[in-house]
Amino acid sequence: MDVQIHPSWKEVLKDEFSKPYFQQIITFLRAEKATGKQIYPPGALIFNAFNQTPFDKVSVVIIGQDPYHGAGQAHGLSFSVPAGVKPPPSLANIFKEIKTDIGIDMPPQFGNLTKWAQQGVLLLNAALTVREGDPFSHAKYGWTDFTDEVIRKISDQKENVVFLLWGKFAQEKQSLIDETKHFVLKAAHPSPFSVDKGFYGCKHFSKTNQLLMQHQLPPIDWKLLTP
C-alpha cells in the first residue's frame, strides 16, 4: 500500500510507516482485499483527513471511532459523508447542536465536512478503514496504534489545539493530550443513543472558536454551503 498522505504528515509520521504494527495493517488490508471483501473508504481516501488538513494547519481535532460501513458513506473524514449522501443520525445531531449553539442553519441533505477540514479541523477516526457492513471490523489490526501516535505528535509538537472528545471512546484518548498547552472539551456522543445525555447543549462550536481567538488563531467557519 503506497501511503498517499500530505508531505507534512509524511515527515511527522515517517518513523511510524516502518514499524511492525503498520506493516501489519498493510498485510491485513491486502488479505481482506484478496478475499474480495469490500473495504471503506476507497484506498485513495484512507488518509483523506491528513491530506485535507496538513499538520501545520491543525487547530481542532474531532475524534471518531471508525468509518461509516455503508456503501458510499465513508470518505476518510470522521462524521462526514460525501456530497449526495444524506447526513447520518450522528451528523444530523451535530448540525442541530450547531444551530442551537451559534444559530447557523446546516443543510439537511449535505454532510460533506471538507470545508471544516480545510480550515484546520482534523476529522480523525481511530480506525481508518472498515469492512462493509461490519462496524469496528478493522479496529484491532494496528490502526489505533497509528492514530494514537497521531494524537501524541499533535500534542507534543503543537500548541493551543482544541480537542473535541465526544463519547467514552474518544474520551479514552485524553491521556495522550498534554492539557498544559492544549484544550480538551468533552461531551456525550452525538449518536441518537446518547445525544440527550450531554451532547445537546455542550456548545462546543462556540467554545472552540472562543479558545482559538483567545490565542490569536482564526476561528472556524462552521457553516456549510451546499454545492
Side-chain angles (χ1 to χ4, degrees):
M1 182 175 72
D2 178 31
V3 179
Q4 300 172 340
I5 191 168
H6 190 274
S8 63
W9 282 107
K10 197 166 262 190
E11 176 62 26
V12 169
L13 297 169
K14 61 186 176 186
D15 293 340
E16 301 308 305
F17 299 126
S18 59
K19 287 183 178 177
Y21 80 80
F22 200 85
Q23 300 309 307
Q24 177 189 349
I25 294 171
I26 294 172
T27 301
F28 170 72
L29 290 177
R30 285 176 176 156
E32 286 275 88
K33 287 182 179 178
T35 62
K37 289 173 179 151
Q38 185 67 52
I39 295 170
Y40 299 131
L45 294 176
I46 290 173
F47 293 96
N48 192 26
F50 302 89
N51 289 320
Q52 298 293 341
T53 314
F55 183 78
D56 305 336
K57 281 199 71 172
V58 175
S59 61
V60 180
V61 180
I62 298 178
I63 299 174
Q65 195 154 355
D66 73 339
Y68 295 121
H69 55 270
Q73 289 184 305
H75 67 141
L77 305 177
S78 63
F79 294 101
S80 179
V81 288
V85 177
K86 183 179 179 180
S90 291
L91 183 54
N93 290 336
I94 290 169
F95 287 176
K96 288 177 186 175
E97 176 59 21
I98 289 175
K99 167 66 173 174
T100 303
D101 182 11
I102 51 180
I104 292 176
D105 288 304
M106 305 299 281
Q109 300 295 327
F110 181 80
N112 188 331
L113 306 182
T114 299
K115 183 187 170 194
W116 294 2
Q118 291 173 342
Q119 295 178 77
V121 181
L122 182 66
L123 296 165
L124 179 68
N125 278 317
L128 299 189
T129 58
V130 70
R131 189 183 305 135
E132 182 177 32
D134 193 359
F136 318 125
S137 50
H138 290 187
K140 296 178 181 176
Y141 292 92
W143 277 132
T144 53
D145 293 324
F146 177 74
T147 53
D148 281 359
E149 192 59 36
V150 168
I151 295 168
R152 284 193 199 95
K153 296 288 190 193
I154 295 170
S155 178
D156 290 348
Q157 298 184 29
K158 297 183 71 73
E159 293 182 346
N160 301 320
V161 174
V162 182
F163 290 84
L164 304 183
L165 307 184
W166 298 336
K168 182 175 179 289
F169 178 85
Q171 288 163 17
E172 288 172 351
K173 307 297 183 183
Q174 187 171 0
S175 62
L176 305 173
I177 302 162
D178 181 352
E179 293 183 66
T180 67
K181 58 176 185 166
H182 299 288
F183 308 100
V184 171
L185 299 178
K186 296 190 290 185
H189 194 278
S191 152
F193 301 106
S194 55
V195 69
D196 288 325
K197 297 175 182 173
F199 183 79
Y200 284 154
C202 70
K203 299 187 181 296
H204 278 188
F205 304 94
S206 60
K207 288 178 179 177
T208 292
N209 281 347
Q210 287 165 6
L211 289 167
L212 293 173
M213 289 188 290
Q214 282 171 15
H215 292 85
Q216 289 72 55
L217 296 168
I220 305 301
D221 178 4
W222 299 106
K223 188 175 181 64
L224 296 179
L225 297 173
T226 55

